[in-house]
Each structure stands twice: as C-alpha cells, then as structure tokens.
Amino acid sequence: MDDIEIITNKKLELEIIAHGESHSVCNVLRKFLMEDDDIEYAVYGIDHPIVGEPIISIKAKRTKNPKKSLLNASTKLKEQSEEFKKLVESISS
C-alpha cells in the first residue's frame, strides 16, 4: 500500500482509503475481516476501475475495535503471502 487515509474513525466503525491498492489485496483483507467474530461487516468499493482508490468500510460488533481487527487481518495477509512466496520459490529451483 502506498498510503492509508482515514475517512471515518468511530468507536465501532472505520473507513479508510487504501491508496495504490486494487481488488486483490482489498478482497483478501475483506475475507479475513469477515472471518473475525468481532466484525459485523467489512466491505470495500472502487468507484472507477482505472483511477479509483479502494475505500474499505469496517464495522465491529459490541465494544470491539475495528482497527485491531484490521491489523490482525493485515498480519494474516502478510503471513500467508510469505508462505505462498516460499512455495513458489521451492518449485522454481
């Protein structure tokens, strides 16, 4: 990600712009967020397929922290990406 811009930062809601990202990263983050029992919903949209920036909206349940859930999802994405990279490197040797 080039940069993250916070649009909405409330107790249970977080909305960010993920500058420089595409459907690939945003869709995986959304998937991991929806696997989190603390998240009510996680969605993203890109207004224009060529020049649009993804906007990710997250709503947490009860008194949970959506920033913490986003950090957990990002960590999971990083770990799985590193694991996939190792698999690819093992078959290209």
Side-chain angles (χ1 to χ4, degrees):
M1 265 181 222
D2 293 340
D3 189 24
I4 293 179
E5 178 182 342
I6 296 175
I7 300 171
T8 304
N9 186 15
K10 297 180 181 176
K11 185 176 182 178
L12 298 177
E13 295 178 39
L14 179 64
E15 190 172 50
I16 62 170
I17 299 175
H19 295 287
E21 286 307 326
S22 65
H23 289 284
S24 301
V25 169
C26 294
N27 197 37
V28 175
L29 276 177
R30 183 204 56 78
K31 176 187 177 295
F32 290 154
L33 283 161
M34 290 305 299
E35 292 173 354
D36 186 334
D37 291 336
D38 294 337
I39 296 300
E40 186 172 323
Y41 68 78
V43 297
Y44 80 92
I46 300 176
D47 289 339
H48 189 280
I50 297 173
V51 296
E53 297 282 5
I55 298 175
I56 303 171
S57 301
I58 306 164
K59 182 167 184 197
K61 294 178 182 175
R62 302 173 292 279
T63 59
K64 303 303 178 180
N65 185 338
K67 284 184 182 178
K68 183 177 179 184
S69 292
L70 179 59
L71 179 60
N72 291 341
S74 299
T75 300
K76 189 172 181 179
L77 173 59
K78 180 181 177 188
E79 289 169 355
Q80 288 197 1
S81 296
E82 289 171 356
E83 190 175 314
F84 182 72
K85 180 182 175 189
K86 288 178 186 176
L87 288 170
V88 170
E89 288 171 345
S90 74
I91 64 169
S92 63
S93 311

